[in-house]
Amino acid sequence: MAIQTHKITETPDAFIVNGVRVPKMKKGQSNVYDPAIIKAVGSELFFDLVASKQPLPMPDLGFSEAEWKDMEKMLDNDQ
């Protein structure tokens, strides 16, 4: 099996992999990628480049403790 090497350069808003521009993910925006880009660089390398390296924190949704408990009860009743 041949080992494929990639020439990767980084700009402020993208990675360039063997001449293919892979835009960086932007926080707070919908990030949609052309399947041809993913196929061109390979899915494993694509996700290594653009995926978050750390788990994303759960945002504070503004619910009180009582509201969370009510929602949990509703979910339990649905099962």
Side-chain angles (χ1 to χ4, degrees):
M1 176 186 244
I3 297 175
Q4 188 175 13
T5 58
H6 300 282
K7 180 179 185 244
I8 303 170
T9 55
E10 185 174 358
T11 68
D13 63 339
F15 296 98
I16 311 298
V17 181
N18 298 336
V20 177
R21 185 176 183 278
V22 180
K24 292 181 179 179
M25 291 184 74
K26 295 181 181 159
K27 187 176 181 178
Q29 292 184 359
S30 177
N31 295 281
V32 179
Y33 291 92
D34 185 337
I37 292 173
I38 299 169
K39 188 174 181 179
V41 300
S43 60
E44 188 171 330
L45 178 58
F46 171 80
F47 287 114
D48 284 345
L49 292 172
V50 301
S52 177
K53 307 303 182 243
Q54 299 293 323
L56 299 175
M58 179 70 172
D60 179 10
L61 301 175
F63 294 112
S64 69
E65 192 64 33
E67 290 170 318
W68 279 114
K69 287 180 182 178
D70 287 344
M71 287 187 280
E72 287 177 11
K73 283 181 191 176
M74 285 186 238
L75 287 172
D76 287 342
N77 291 336
D78 287 344
Q79 295 178 3

